[in-house]
Amino acid sequence: MKFDIDLDNVPVHVGIIMDGNGRFATAKGLARSEGHKAGAETLRRIAIDAADIGIKYLTVYAFSTENWKRPKDEVSGIMKLLYKYLKDWDKYIGGRHVRIRVIGDISDFDPVLKKMIEFVENSTKKETELTLNIALGYGGRNEIISAAKKMAEDYKSDKLKLDEVNEDVFSKYLYTSDIPDPDLIIRPGGEVRISNFLVWQSAYSEFYFTDTLWPDFTKENLLEAVAYYQSKHRRFGGL
Ligand code: IPE
Ligand code: IPE
Ligand code: MG
């Protein structure tokens, strides 16, 4: 291995913005849907690698609120792929004990897909090796607005007082209420932005950007990102 990492200082929570599927396919003269297929396969591999390294939480950005604006057939292709992978998840994950959770607003998803999501979340809820959070219909700003609305409701019904509101309390209203903030966020695909991913939670995350397209992303890339995190990791605010 080119990148030696310290297994005692592995980031607990890693986020990945899985970008570059379309360009991967286009460069090979293939349809964008082939890029999404290849990207789904990369997620399968990397989830296993993350579990092997000792990462406890992996949150992957799979479909954003903005992605609804893509052509209808691309959106439905992504949805079909999601269904297929969720249905056969235990076959793909090579016996790893992975808990799967979905974060985001899936209210506009097809009812059959929603049922499958619920089924997989339920049937994996006792697994503790790795928690894989799949961000679907996810947008950080949307998440913050829905947290604010829920808080307003609790305030109205006297469950919450104004002077009780602080950062910890606010965090409890987010999709990630029981998940630690991400230590490291990785974005393959060459773009250097967060595209509305974990906007609140990433306040102190380390960011690792690479030109490698998501379908080409390997364990070596993951180790390089973790090594980067380990070279940077320090306490903020204090000395
Ligand atoms: C990311 O790859 C996957 C989704 C957003 C669903 P893209 O489809 O954005 O790929 P590029 O950025 O066009 O290459
Ligand atoms: C971010 O990628 C969203 C996901 C990976 C699901 P996009 O390709 O949609 O983001 P932009 O358009 O580059 O900001
Ligand atoms: Mg993209």
Side-chain angles (χ1 to χ4, degrees):
M1 287 281 161
K2 237 175 26 214
F3 298 98
D4 279 332
I5 60 160
D6 172 5
L7 287 172
D8 293 326
N9 183 27
V10 169
V12 175
H13 182 180
V14 174
I16 304 182
I17 300 170
M18 304 189 293
D19 194 28
N21 295 352
R23 279 163 286 162
F24 170 88
T26 307
K28 292 185 155 44
L30 301 169
R32 289 178 63 86
S33 58
E34 292 300 318
H36 294 313
K37 265 189 218 163
E41 176 55 25
T42 302
L43 173 56
R44 187 190 71 79
R45 281 193 284 105
I46 294 297
I48 295 172
D49 295 336
D52 286 346
I53 294 171
I55 291 166
K56 298 307 284 181
Y57 299 89
L58 183 65
T59 301
V60 294
Y61 206 5
F63 191 81
S64 72
T65 46
E66 289 73 18
N67 289 152
W68 282 116
K69 296 185 198 128
R70 292 196 179 194
K72 251 192 174 153
D73 59 340
E74 182 171 354
V75 171
S76 69
I78 292 170
M79 297 295 165
K80 278 199 193 114
L81 199 59
L82 265 166
Y83 183 84
K84 176 176 174 284
Y85 266 81
L86 286 169
K87 183 166 158 277
D88 290 333
W89 179 255
D90 48 348
K91 261 196 250 156
Y92 289 121
I93 200 67
R96 298 308 200 289
H97 296 280
V98 178
R99 176 176 186 184
I100 296 184
R101 298 178 75 178
V102 166
I103 61 168
D105 177 3
I106 57 163
S107 54
D108 290 336
F109 278 40
D110 185 281
V112 178
L113 179 54
K114 280 200 267 192
K115 271 238 153 65
M116 180 54 72
I117 289 170
E118 204 182 308
F119 173 76
V120 175
E121 284 186 326
N122 267 322
S123 53
T124 62
K125 72 177 173 212
K126 295 219 167 72
E127 306 294 1
T128 56
E129 191 179 1
L130 171 75
T131 297
L132 175 65
N133 302 302
I134 308 177
L136 294 177
Y138 178 87
R141 289 180 172 180
N142 188 46
E143 177 184 32
I144 291 169
I145 287 174
S146 73
K149 283 186 178 166
K150 281 184 242 159
M151 277 178 55
E153 273 166 18
D154 282 355
Y155 172 72
K156 226 166 57 182
S157 60
D158 272 340
K159 277 193 218 137
L160 181 73
K161 298 198 170 46
L162 263 196
D163 57 8
E164 283 170 1
V165 178
N166 58 30
E167 292 180 12
D168 285 341
V169 170
F170 193 87
S171 301
K172 294 284 176 246
Y173 286 87
L174 298 170
Y175 299 126
T176 49
S177 59
D178 53 353
I179 301 166
D181 285 343
D183 305 290
L184 169 68
I185 292 182
I186 301 170
R187 181 167 188 157
E191 308 296 351
V192 184
R193 55 174 171 263
I194 64 170
S195 300
N196 210 3
F197 186 51
L198 301 179
V199 170
W200 169 279
Q201 298 88 338
S202 63
Y204 279 103
S205 305
E206 297 292 348
F207 282 89
Y208 179 82
F209 297 96
T210 172
D211 287 338
T212 302
L213 304 171
W214 174 245
D216 289 323
F217 197 90
T218 61
K219 184 172 190 178
E220 202 65 16
N221 293 113
L222 179 66
L223 291 174
E224 186 173 3
V226 170
Y228 171 82
Y229 161 82
Q230 292 181 339
S231 76
K232 289 283 172 190
H233 189 49
R234 62 186 177 85
R235 288 187 185 284
F236 287 89
L239 279 176

